[in-house]
């Protein structure tokens, strides 16, 4: 297939490019390094020339925090919605949207609300669409995984409050396999939560990452929520992940049933093991 892939230079985009190319697909990357500024692609007319001879579209664009000219509304809602409408006009029927776990009726953050707006736009169109909502993704090259791994290797592991916020981390290979099967699935128009089979607390997850480094368990340093929030107002200027709203999302925690994903994949999502933290373990053959 000829696949237009937006966000091709990001963590998910790079990993998908490798796996899809290995499976025999041809990738048409859309990113700034390829001469396309996503935030300028706000109309159907901007997208139509790029959709010539395209069989499928995958939108992977996402930012975890706003800064300078990168805004949620533009990157998560306006540009993708224009792309989806262009697909409907150009006859590109298979369209995959990489959204986020929590971008549903319970969404409260600007991040999730902007993702959900694009999801709703896609679902309103007469296309063979998939809305894929991954949880926290781990694997080599992910920014969030790298940040948490650095935290996990500290002598004292910092946690917010009691560290009991719930997570369902998913390995990058399960995200890739879901995308590959979505490209060829005879049953489209599906919204899938991409989550791992295990629910862990934030403190447990950091200890697991620490064990993956071959380190013994460490004591935790409990940081009151108000103090962590105050720190993000400074930290966000040094790391885009250190945003007040991201902390609120972590504090809330997110859970989802993994059985629909397991049914779609034909197997259970992978349980976290030490080796998976440093392996992409990607599918290299076309998914059926």
């Amino acid at each position: 297939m000829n696949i237009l892939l937006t966000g091709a230079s990001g963590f998910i985009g790079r990993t998908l490019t490798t796996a899809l190319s290995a499976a025999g697909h041809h990738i048409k990357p859309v990113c700034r390094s390829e001469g396309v500024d996503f935030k300028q692609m706000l109309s159907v007319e901007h997208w139509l020339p790029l959709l010539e001879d395209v069989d499928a579209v995958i939108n992977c664009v996402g930012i975890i925090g706003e800064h300078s000219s990168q805004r949620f509304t533009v990157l998560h809602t306006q540009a993708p919605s224009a792309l989806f409408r262009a697909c409907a006009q150009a006859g590109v029927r298979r369209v995959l949207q990489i959204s986020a776990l929590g971008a549903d009726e319970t969404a409260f953050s600007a991040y999730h609300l902007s993702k959900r707006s694009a999801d709703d736009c896609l679902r309103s169109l007469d296309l063979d669409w998939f809305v894929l909502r991954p949880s926290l993704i781990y694997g080599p090259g992910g920014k969030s995984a790298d940040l948490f791994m650095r935290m996990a290797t500290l002598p004292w592991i910092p946690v917010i409050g009691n560290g009991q916020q719930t997570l369902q981390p998913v390995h990058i290979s399960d995200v890739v396999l879901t995308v590959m099967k979505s490209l060829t699935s005879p049953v489209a128009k599906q919204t899938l939560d991409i989550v791992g089979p295990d629910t862990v607390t934030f403190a447990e997850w950091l200890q697991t990452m620490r064990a993956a480094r071959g380190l013994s368990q460490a004591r935790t340093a409990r940081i009151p929520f108000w103090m962590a929030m105050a720190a993000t107002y400074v930290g966000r200027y040094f790391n885009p992940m250190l945003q007040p709203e991201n902390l609120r999302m972590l504090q809330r925690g997110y859970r989802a049933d993994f059985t629909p994903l397991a049914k779609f994949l034909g197997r259970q999502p992978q349980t976290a093991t030490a080796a998976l933290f440093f392996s992409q373990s990607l599918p290299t053959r076309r998914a059926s």
Side-chain angles (χ1 to χ4, degrees):
M1 300 174 72
N2 292 323
I3 301 172
L4 185 140
L5 176 65
T6 68
S9 61
F11 171 43
I12 299 176
R14 294 193 310 270
T15 313
L16 279 175
T17 296
T18 299
L20 293 171
S21 297
H25 300 294
H26 178 263
I27 305 302
K28 189 173 186 178
V30 172
C31 54
R32 278 178 294 180
S33 61
E34 295 292 334
V36 181
D37 188 347
F38 197 72
K39 67 177 181 289
Q40 301 296 329
M41 307 292 287
L42 302 181
S43 71
V44 169
E45 289 70 26
H46 285 131
W47 287 107
L48 288 176
L50 295 178
L51 293 176
E52 293 181 8
D53 301 320
V54 166
D55 302 307
V57 165
I58 306 172
N59 176 43
C60 291
V61 171
I63 56 172
I64 196 61
E66 293 182 321
H67 59 92
S68 62
S69 62
Q70 294 192 317
R71 316 305 295 179
F72 288 138
T73 300
V74 173
L75 297 177
H76 288 176
T77 303
Q78 294 176 355
S81 296
L83 170 59
F84 302 153
R85 294 188 181 102
C87 288
Q89 185 170 323
V92 180
R93 294 203 54 82
R94 186 66 50 142
V95 181
L96 279 56
Q97 155 80 339
I98 308 296
S99 184
L101 188 67
D104 52 29
E105 65 279 357
T106 68
F108 68 94
S109 68
Y111 170 81
H112 280 124
L113 289 169
S114 62
K115 282 283 190 181
R116 191 181 75 180
S117 293
D119 300 348
D120 289 343
C121 174
L122 178 57
R123 286 186 287 237
S124 73
L125 299 171
D126 182 22
L127 295 169
D128 295 330
W129 53 261
F130 279 82
V131 173
L132 306 177
R133 302 192 297 209
S135 178
L136 174 68
I137 303 173
Y138 68 97
K143 289 183 179 179
S144 59
D146 287 345
L147 174 63
F148 291 151
M149 186 64 80
R150 290 196 298 271
M151 292 172 60
T153 57
L154 295 172
W156 287 68
I157 297 178
V159 297
I160 310 304
N162 60 10
Q164 297 304 296
Q165 301 86 0
T166 55
L167 304 171
Q168 266 181 283
V170 64
H171 190 254
I172 183 62
S173 62
D174 284 328
V175 178
V176 169
L177 182 58
T178 305
V179 167
M180 294 179 73
K181 294 185 82 69
S182 298
L183 286 171
T184 57
S185 172
V187 181
K189 295 181 171 60
Q190 295 192 55
T191 298
L192 288 170
D193 290 326
I194 309 178
V195 297
D198 302 313
T199 300
V200 298
T201 66
F202 182 60
E204 289 171 340
W205 184 239
L206 293 180
Q207 296 286 11
T208 300
M209 299 185 96
R210 185 176 177 84
R213 284 285 190 186
L215 301 173
S216 59
Q217 285 205 352
R219 292 179 179 271
T220 57
R222 296 188 175 189
I223 302 173
F225 182 74
W226 67 266
M227 186 180 295
M229 281 292 291
T232 62
Y233 285 95
V234 176
R236 60 183 172 172
Y237 295 108
F238 301 94
N239 188 315
M241 285 196 61
L242 299 177
Q243 299 285 338
E245 207 163 56
N246 293 343
L247 195 59
R248 293 189 187 98
M249 290 190 289
L250 173 64
Q251 185 73 358
R252 175 172 176 170
Y254 292 96
R255 297 181 62 181
D257 183 5
F258 70 86
T259 53
L261 176 65
K263 182 178 179 180
F264 183 75
L265 295 181
R267 65 159 174 79
Q268 183 168 301
Q270 299 188 80
T271 295
T273 62
L276 282 178
F277 284 98
F278 310 106
S279 168
Q280 290 184 332
S281 176
L282 298 175
T284 56
R285 292 180 294 178
R286 189 181 301 276
S288 57

